[in-house]
Amino acid sequence: IPAAAVSKITNPQKNDTWLLGKTYTITWEKELFNRFDIVLENEQGVAQGFITSDSIAGKSFVWKAGTISLSNSDKTPVLGSGLYRIRIQDSSNGRGLQDQVSDWFTLKRQPMNVTSSMPSRVVFDSESALVLYGSGFTQETFLYLDNIRSLEANKLYVSGDGRVLVYALQKGTSVGTHTISLGNGYDV
């Protein structure tokens, strides 16, 4: 790959923090016209997976931070916060000395905060919905009752701003008060 074929990566920048699950734009200085891969590497420089392995053109790529693939069709979230960099490499040659790499940046879990919930207890109708109000909710957010994974609730809705989350509780959920366990889909 000629040195001029791939230009300097301009975003992410050194010491940026990107929240897992949020959308960001990876940018570089010169337009690309050939087949290139965008790869995510950990702080040891080990590839974690492809951000994209499609033909990329132009000077940017929109990425849902943390979403990588191990092959062309498999999408897997990065498990855990950490220090990363992005590499643009020629698809036909793989990793090379003339690849462009970004500065080191941090991927971090989104903080979640629940300010209130409705209802405060499960009622006897066997088809209860639970509405959580707060912040940091994403499509990857999951909910369990009483710390039991088999009691996972069925997600119905997440607001675009991540402030409202609605779940349908499993049929037969016992009447009363339950402990809610939330995760954001990026937990180890």
Side-chain angles (χ1 to χ4, degrees):
I1 193 172
V6 179
S7 64
K8 180 181 177 191
I9 297 172
T10 55
N11 199 39
Q13 296 179 356
K14 186 175 186 177
N15 299 322
D16 277 355
T17 297
W18 288 8
L19 298 176
L20 291 162
K22 291 280 188 181
T23 301
Y24 297 91
T25 302
I26 300 166
T27 59
W28 48 90
E29 289 177 341
K30 295 181 184 174
E31 287 206 42
L32 299 176
F33 298 103
N34 295 324
R35 189 161 164 82
F36 291 94
D37 297 328
I38 302 178
V39 178
L40 182 69
E41 296 180 339
N42 67 12
E43 60 189 308
Q44 288 80 36
V46 176
Q48 300 301 290
F50 295 101
I51 291 172
T52 184
S53 58
D54 296 329
S55 294
I56 54 175
K59 296 166 45 173
S60 65
F61 181 81
V62 176
W63 180 46
K64 183 176 180 182
T67 302
I68 57 171
S69 61
L70 303 176
S71 67
N72 286 340
S73 60
D74 172 45
K75 292 286 183 192
T76 308
V78 173
L79 299 176
S81 301
L83 196 59
Y84 295 91
R85 69 179 177 193
I86 291 170
R87 173 182 298 275
I88 298 178
Q89 64 188 29
D90 185 311
S91 296
S92 59
N93 297 331
R95 186 175 176 158
L97 295 176
Q98 296 178 346
D99 296 344
Q100 295 300 303
V101 294
S102 70
D103 287 320
W104 294 102
F105 69 103
T106 300
L107 285 178
K108 181 178 168 184
R109 290 186 188 127
Q110 292 189 57
M112 283 190 294
N113 181 37
V114 177
T115 55
S116 65
S117 64
M118 290 179 43
S120 59
R121 54 186 285 125
V122 176
V123 295
F124 183 71
D125 68 0
S126 74
E127 292 188 19
S128 294
L130 176 63
V131 181
L132 300 177
Y133 299 95
S135 61
F137 305 132
T138 69
Q139 290 297 329
E140 289 77 23
T141 303
F142 56 85
L143 181 143
Y144 299 112
L145 294 181
D146 303 325
N147 294 319
I148 303 171
R149 285 193 178 254
S150 63
L151 291 179
E152 183 172 4
N154 189 16
K155 185 179 340 156
L156 299 175
Y157 173 77
V158 180
S159 65
D161 62 4
R163 295 181 179 273
V164 180
L165 188 59
V166 181
Y167 280 92
L169 301 179
Q170 289 184 7
K171 222 175 201 177
T173 300
S174 62
V175 173
T177 305
H178 295 270
T179 302
I180 296 172
S181 300
L182 287 174
N184 62 9
Y186 294 100
D187 294 329
V188 177

